[in-house]
């Protein structure tokens, strides 16, 4: 009886150790934000310059199956399609094209290079 209880106790200790060890050695994989497949020719309507409500200009460009934005001719930032007419950057800026790509809603605008010192979650609108 004593041996059986010792065996059960040892099994419980070993199983809890393996669970704790598994939690410590888990691997985190960062996935690319682009989960929506977009055909290269579908980006044609977005490859334009847009005037922002603050006077800045945001441009969109494409190189093969990679899509980019840049603010005031600054550094290009890759954007990833997540839905039709919706793109995000690695930093979390989100672009939503509306009205047949005539207007754009931009959330987390402050995360773009050259955006300036703006509060978190800044929204911006742009028109062609």
């Amino acid at each position: 009886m004593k041996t059986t209880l010792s065996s059960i106790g040892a099994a419980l200790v070993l199983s809890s150790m393996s669970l704790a060890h598994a939690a410590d050695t888990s691997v985190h994989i960062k996935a690319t934000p682009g989960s929506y497949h977009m055909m290269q020719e579908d980006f044609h309507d977005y490859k334009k310059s847009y005037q922002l409500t603050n006077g800045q200009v945001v441009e969109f460009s494409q190189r093969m199956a990679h899509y980019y934005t840049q603010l005031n001719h600054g550094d290009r930032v890759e954007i990833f399609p997540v839905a039709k007419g919706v793109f995000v950057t690695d930093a979390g800026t989100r672009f939503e094209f509306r009205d047949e790509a005539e207007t754009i809603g931009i959330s987390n605008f402050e995360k773009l290079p050259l955006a300036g010192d703006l509060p978190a979650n800044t929204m911006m609108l742009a028109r062609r």
Side-chain angles (χ1 to χ4, degrees):
M1 178 78 166
K2 204 174 205 180
T3 306
T4 306
L5 288 176
S6 296
S7 298
I8 292 173
L12 288 173
V13 168
L14 289 175
S15 66
S16 65
M17 283 178 49
S18 63
L19 288 175
H21 181 67
D24 291 341
T25 60
S26 62
V27 177
H28 298 281
I29 299 172
K30 182 181 176 196
T32 302
S35 59
Y36 173 79
H37 179 70
M38 181 173 160
M39 301 298 291
Q40 291 180 31
E41 58 271 9
D42 293 341
F43 193 74
H44 178 73
D45 290 338
Y46 310 126
K47 292 192 301 188
K48 308 273 189 257
S49 295
Y50 295 83
Q51 183 77 37
L52 295 163
T53 54
N54 68 355
Q56 292 180 304
V57 175
V58 64
E59 298 177 59
F60 295 89
S61 60
Q62 171 183 6
R63 180 157 188 191
M64 305 283 287
H66 295 271
Y67 311 104
Y68 302 93
T69 188
Q70 66 187 115
L71 188 59
N72 290 342
H73 302 289
D75 293 337
R76 283 190 327 170
V77 175
E78 189 165 7
I79 57 176
F80 304 93
V82 293
K84 183 176 175 147
V86 180
F87 298 83
V88 296
T89 66
D90 276 334
T93 302
R94 182 181 174 97
F95 302 88
E96 289 189 42
F97 290 86
R98 301 177 187 145
D99 306 321
E100 297 177 13
E102 289 294 320
T103 60
I104 309 169
I106 305 171
S107 57
N108 292 318
F109 178 77
E110 75 282 355
K111 295 180 179 181
L112 287 175
L114 300 179
D117 188 25
L118 299 169
N121 302 317
T122 297
M123 299 288 295
M124 192 68 63
L125 293 175
R127 291 193 57 79
R128 280 197 219 189

